[in-house]
Amino acid sequence: MRKGESTRALIVARAAEVFNVQGVGGAAISDIMAATGLKKGGIYNHFASKEELALASFEHATAVLARRFAPVWEEQGVNVVRAFIETFRGYAQRPPLAGGCPVLNAAIDSDDTNPALRARAHAVAEEWQERLAAVLRGSQERGESRPEIDAVALASVIVASLEGALMLTKLSDDPQHLQWAADHLLDYLERAVCC
Amino acid sequence: MRKGESTRALIVARAAEVFNVQGVGGAAISDIMAATGLKKGGIYNHFASKEELALASFEHATAVLARRFAPVWEEQGVNVVRAFIETFRGYAQRPPLAGGCPVLNAAIDSDDTNPALRARAHAVAEEWQERLAAVLRGSQERGESRPEIDAVALASVIVASLEGALMLTKLSDDPQHLQWAADHLLDYLERAVCC
Amino acid sequence: MRKGESTRALIVARAAEVFNVQGVGGAAISDIMAATGLKKGGIYNHFASKEELALASFEHATAVLARRFAPVWEEQGVNVVRAFIETFRGYAQRPPLAGGCPVLNAAIDSDDTNPALRARAHAVAEEWQERLAAVLRGSQERGESRPEIDAVALASVIVASLEGALMLTKLSDDPQHLQWAADHLLDYLERAVCC
Amino acid sequence: MRKGESTRALIVARAAEVFNVQGVGGAAISDIMAATGLKKGGIYNHFASKEELALASFEHATAVLARRFAPVWEEQGVNVVRAFIETFRGYAQRPPLAGGCPVLNAAIDSDDTNPALRARAHAVAEEWQERLAAVLRGSQERGESRPEIDAVALASVIVASLEGALMLTKLSDDPQHLQWAADHLLDYLERAVCC
DNA sequence: ACGCACGGGACACCCCGTTCCT
DNA sequence: AGGAACGGGGTGTCCCGTGCGT
């Protein structure tokens, strides 16, 4: 790897956390400077603007998320859903990124500004739901799950519950909300699966 | 009401929406000026600082929320929970405030800055959960609900699911997520209640 | 005078010296900040850009020059020329502006950039020459000076000699060059006048 | 001449013009790059810093001047002075260096910065005056010139007049000023010489 | 009570000089 | 010798909060 690329990777990695904690609008380049140890010139050598850096940083954040969730999609059948829930539960002890779930943050943080960033967050959330829905539908087709359940709806509920619990956990600084949500979803899943 | 007070009320009402949409840090006084038609002097006559205005605005936002939820707490027994869920479902068509749920926004928007604002949002979320938990516990004590359910946990799950669904709705601009979450919770509730 | 106007006048007065010493391109806004005690916002409140400030500053510089030279034009006949030379000679002890003659500086400093500034400097130099030439021509018409002398040329020589001597004085830090030039011109004038 | 030396000579020659036109502070390395066709690394291979390049460039500029003035000092007696004036007059049609007289430019351009450059310019101006003064003194000693004239002062006046006229010519883009100054000096010289 | 101008401060982006690596 | 990379400074803009005038 060339010198510049490793520097660029460093910037992106640090900036991803800074942006995730402070928001894109709330973070100044000086914060990125402090986090990376580089000066302004060194940062603007790799990115034309703050927005470009923000986009690359979010891309990095989603890549970190993807790496965390990679084992989830390796599971078989409904175990995918269980692994997804457990992985989310792990956010409490071992967050993939400082500042919480980047999807949640990006959804709220960027209102109208940064439509690109918002689109990326949307894409990640959609991918999660689609994958979960596909697994649930497959389970139904194999007769392992109750057919009257709306797979798409359940996938949405799973993601929503976990993200919402993450928010409550962040707000109250109490990881219990995440545990409750995970337990609730697993419990609900048991009844939906067994037939 | 004196002249000044009505002006103050106007400022707070408009500022609440502006802050809810753009965030406290992202909103400039000039935005408040545009929203109220007043000039800077007119605003700073009523509030010492932007932060003070933000606090008063959030107070206003919670008051609006409280008014919206007032009928909920008038219900009897578990109907309180059902009414709570339905009220949340109504967010999609008729949001109490432009920009979405102020609790959700405040939870994400204010990371470390504005600890007072964060505390207020936390208090609202806690109040919701405590009231729902109390209702559920009362229902259990009266033998109307299954005793093995953790009332506090369920209250947390309800709030988390709805707030999370609100986030997904905002992210995808699709109110369906909220519907799914509400349906799911009502469905779950039915099974918990009937015995 | 309103508050802002006095501030503006202060900025212009200080900036005129800074620009005259360091040149427009060589002077940073931070130098103006240090010279005025104001911060950047306070300066840019009064001027849209550095160039606009530079123009206003040069306008101030020419006004200072005009005030210094005002008594010169009050003189009668060829005494105007003598007074002009003596006033220039006074530059050595009491420069009208720190950094030397703004006309000389502007002529060299602004090569292609700042054509407006260059035009102003040109106008001042032209005015001097025209006034001197008019005086000399009047003297010739009254028969007080030798008619074979080219008034326009002599006016040019006077200004050129004094500005050039000013340059040598600046370069060698020796006011003698200015004295020599003044003495030479006065001596030459004597022979041209008496007939 | 080795390859590197010819490159160095090319850089110096081009840079001398760039610096003479834009000033040392006003010229960027990128301007030198554009003028030479070299890249930054190619330039910094030969010069440790911009200032060192500026100094070498000014040295080159003075060498060009010296070559132009070499025939002047070959003349006999007061003809040296006449040749000096005529050579200066030739500046208008055939400037030795783009951007005007480097002595004049250096005197104004470098205020405090680049004291070395200033010293070089001073040395050139002094050398001119001393040589002219020596010639004039020699003429007086030989009884060819009026003894009451201050040779040193006249030398200063000659240089000052010509440099000042050069400035006016540059400012007004009219070579006439230079002609007038030359004519005036020659005319004055005639009267000083004849006895 | 409200408008406006003013000043302080921070920030994004740009450009330049210099060094290092190739 | 080329070119990327980095440090530093500079410009213009925005915003917050204050004070004066109305």
Side-chain angles (χ1 to χ4, degrees):
Chain A
M1 193 197 291
R2 290 224 334 288
K3 171 80 174 309
E5 295 187 15
S6 76
T7 302
R8 189 193 148 100
L10 172 79
I11 297 173
V12 162
R14 302 295 171 89
E17 300 209 338
V18 173
F19 282 141
N20 203 42
V21 169
Q22 309 191 4
V24 174
I29 296 293
S30 65
D31 296 322
I32 313 289
M33 287 163 55
T36 57
L38 289 168
K39 301 301 174 129
K40 216 173 311 191
I43 293 171
Y44 273 92
N45 235 5
H46 296 278
F47 305 93
S49 69
K50 183 183 167 183
E51 193 172 348
E52 190 181 311
L53 173 57
L55 205 55
S57 298
F58 190 73
E59 213 108 352
H60 172 81
T62 56
V64 168
L65 273 195
R67 217 171 316 147
R68 173 72 72 100
F69 278 91
V72 168
W73 317 119
E74 309 275 338
E75 296 288 333
Q76 294 300 325
V78 188
N79 279 338
V80 166
V81 183
R82 292 196 187 96
F84 181 83
I85 295 169
E86 290 303 334
T87 300
F88 239 96
R89 194 208 295 270
Y91 270 33
Q93 273 86 18
R94 202 164 50 96
L97 211 69
C101 176
V103 174
L104 177 59
N105 290 336
I108 305 303
D109 184 69
S110 68
D111 305 289
D112 323 13
T113 54
N114 283 71
L117 209 152
R118 183 194 194 73
R120 293 283 310 156
H122 186 198
V124 172
E126 285 250 300
E127 193 197 346
W128 282 348
Q129 292 176 69
E130 282 169 8
R131 281 183 135 150
L132 293 176
V135 165
L136 291 169
R137 221 177 304 116
S139 170
Q140 288 173 321
E141 286 166 0
R142 285 192 306 276
E144 297 167 10
S145 301
R146 308 167 81 126
E148 75 271 18
I149 287 182
D150 184 343
V152 174
L154 182 52
S156 164
V157 166
I158 291 171
V159 173
S161 299
L162 292 170
E163 290 283 2
L166 218 52
M167 186 271 278
L168 285 185
T169 284
K170 193 174 180 179
L171 186 56
S172 64
D173 199 20
D174 180 1
Q176 194 60 50
H177 296 281
L178 197 48
Q179 305 292 350
W180 285 330
D183 290 341
H184 165 79
L185 290 174
L186 288 176
D187 174 55
Y188 186 85
L189 201 61
E190 286 323 296
R191 263 192 312 236
V193 166
C194 69
C195 284
Chain B
M1 194 195 291
R2 290 215 345 280
K3 171 77 176 311
E5 295 188 15
S6 79
T7 302
R8 188 192 149 98
L10 171 78
I11 297 173
V12 162
R14 302 295 171 88
E17 301 209 337
V18 173
F19 283 142
N20 203 43
V21 170
Q22 309 192 4
V24 174
I29 297 292
S30 64
D31 296 321
I32 313 289
M33 288 163 55
T36 56
L38 289 165
K39 302 295 177 149
K40 216 179 291 197
I43 292 170
Y44 273 90
N45 257 355
H46 295 280
F47 304 93
S49 70
K50 184 182 168 184
E51 193 172 350
E52 189 180 312
L53 172 57
L55 208 54
S57 297
F58 191 73
E59 213 108 356
H60 172 81
T62 56
V64 168
L65 272 196
R67 218 171 314 145
R68 174 71 72 98
F69 278 91
V72 168
W73 317 121
E74 310 276 337
E75 295 289 334
Q76 294 300 324
V78 186
N79 280 338
V80 165
V81 182
R82 295 196 183 94
F84 181 83
I85 294 169
E86 290 302 334
T87 300
F88 239 96
R89 193 205 295 271
Y91 269 33
Q93 272 85 20
R94 203 165 50 92
L97 212 69
C101 176
V103 174
L104 179 58
N105 291 336
I108 306 302
D109 185 69
S110 68
D111 306 287
D112 318 13
T113 53
N114 286 69
L117 210 153
R118 183 192 195 74
R120 292 285 308 157
H122 186 199
V124 172
E126 284 251 300
E127 191 197 345
W128 282 348
Q129 292 176 68
E130 282 170 7
R131 280 182 133 152
L132 292 177
V135 164
L136 290 170
R137 223 176 303 115
S139 169
Q140 288 173 322
E141 286 167 359
R142 284 192 307 276
E144 296 167 12
S145 302
R146 307 167 81 132
E148 74 271 20
I149 286 181
D150 185 341
V152 173
L154 183 52
S156 164
V157 167
I158 291 170
V159 173
S161 299
L162 292 169
E163 291 283 3
L166 216 52
M167 186 270 277
L168 285 186
T169 285
K170 193 175 181 179
L171 186 56
S172 64
D173 201 20
D174 180 359
Q176 194 61 49
H177 296 281
L178 198 47
Q179 305 292 348
W180 284 330
D183 290 341
H184 165 79
L185 290 173
L186 288 176
D187 174 55
Y188 186 85
L189 200 62
E190 286 324 295
R191 262 194 311 237
V193 166
C194 70
C195 284
Chain C
M1 193 195 294
R2 290 221 336 288
K3 171 77 173 311
E5 294 188 15
S6 76
T7 302
R8 188 193 149 99
L10 171 78
I11 297 173
V12 163
R14 301 295 171 89
E17 301 209 336
V18 173
F19 282 141
N20 203 43
V21 170
Q22 309 193 4
V24 174
I29 297 291
S30 64
D31 296 322
I32 313 290
M33 286 164 56
T36 58
L38 288 168
K39 300 305 175 99
K40 211 177 306 196
I43 293 170
Y44 273 93
N45 244 357
H46 297 278
F47 305 93
S49 68
K50 184 182 166 185
E51 192 172 349
E52 190 181 310
L53 172 57
L55 206 55
S57 297
F58 191 73
E59 214 108 352
H60 172 80
T62 56
V64 168
L65 272 196
R67 217 172 316 147
R68 173 72 72 99
F69 279 90
V72 169
W73 318 120
E74 309 276 337
E75 295 289 335
Q76 294 300 324
V78 187
N79 280 339
V80 165
V81 183
R82 294 196 184 93
F84 181 83
I85 294 168
E86 290 302 337
T87 300
F88 239 97
R89 193 206 296 268
Y91 270 33
Q93 272 84 20
R94 203 165 49 96
L97 211 68
C101 176
V103 173
L104 177 59
N105 290 336
I108 306 302
D109 183 68
S110 71
D111 307 288
D112 315 13
T113 53
N114 285 69
L117 209 153
R118 183 191 194 75
R120 293 283 310 157
H122 185 200
V124 172
E126 284 252 298
E127 192 196 345
W128 281 348
Q129 292 175 69
E130 282 170 8
R131 281 183 133 148
L132 293 176
V135 164
L136 290 169
R137 221 178 303 117
S139 170
Q140 289 173 321
E141 284 165 1
R142 285 192 305 277
E144 297 168 10
S145 301
R146 310 168 79 130
E148 73 272 19
I149 285 182
D150 184 342
V152 174
L154 182 52
S156 163
V157 165
I158 291 171
V159 173
S161 300
L162 292 170
E163 292 282 4
L166 217 52
M167 186 271 279
L168 285 184
T169 284
K170 195 175 178 178
L171 187 57
S172 64
D173 199 19
D174 179 2
Q176 194 60 50
H177 296 280
L178 196 48
Q179 305 292 349
W180 283 330
D183 289 341
H184 165 79
L185 289 174
L186 288 175
D187 175 55
Y188 185 85
L189 200 62
E190 285 324 295
R191 264 192 311 234
V193 167
C194 69
C195 286
Chain D
M1 193 194 291
R2 285 213 355 278
K3 171 78 177 314
E5 294 188 15
S6 78
T7 302
R8 188 192 147 99
L10 171 78
I11 297 173
V12 162
R14 302 295 171 88
E17 300 209 338
V18 173
F19 283 142
N20 203 43
V21 170
Q22 309 192 4
V24 174
I29 298 291
S30 65
D31 295 322
I32 313 290
M33 286 164 55
T36 57
L38 289 166
K39 300 295 176 161
K40 231 175 280 200
I43 294 171
Y44 272 88
N45 253 358
H46 295 278
F47 303 94
S49 69
K50 184 182 169 184
E51 191 171 351
E52 189 180 311
L53 172 57
L55 206 55
S57 298
F58 191 74
E59 213 107 353
H60 171 81
T62 56
V64 168
L65 272 195
R67 216 171 316 146
R68 173 73 72 98
F69 278 91
V72 168
W73 317 120
E74 309 276 338
E75 296 287 335
Q76 295 299 327
V78 188
N79 280 338
V80 166
V81 183
R82 294 196 184 95
F84 181 84
I85 294 169
E86 291 301 337
T87 299
F88 241 97
R89 193 206 295 271
Y91 270 33
Q93 273 85 18
R94 203 166 48 94
L97 212 68
C101 176
V103 173
L104 177 57
N105 291 335
I108 306 301
D109 185 69
S110 69
D111 307 286
D112 324 11
T113 51
N114 285 68
L117 210 153
R118 184 192 194 76
R120 292 286 308 156
H122 186 199
V124 172
E126 285 251 298
E127 192 197 346
W128 282 347
Q129 292 175 70
E130 280 169 9
R131 281 183 134 150
L132 292 177
V135 164
L136 290 169
R137 221 177 303 115
S139 169
Q140 289 173 322
E141 285 166 359
R142 287 192 304 276
E144 296 167 9
S145 301
R146 309 167 82 126
E148 73 271 21
I149 286 182
D150 183 342
V152 173
L154 183 51
S156 163
V157 166
I158 291 170
V159 173
S161 299
L162 292 170
E163 291 283 4
L166 216 53
M167 185 271 278
L168 285 185
T169 284
K170 192 175 182 180
L171 187 57
S172 63
D173 199 19
D174 180 1
Q176 194 61 50
H177 295 282
L178 198 48
Q179 306 291 349
W180 283 330
D183 289 341
H184 165 79
L185 290 173
L186 288 175
D187 174 56
Y188 186 84
L189 201 62
E190 286 322 297
R191 262 194 310 237
V193 167
C194 70
C195 284

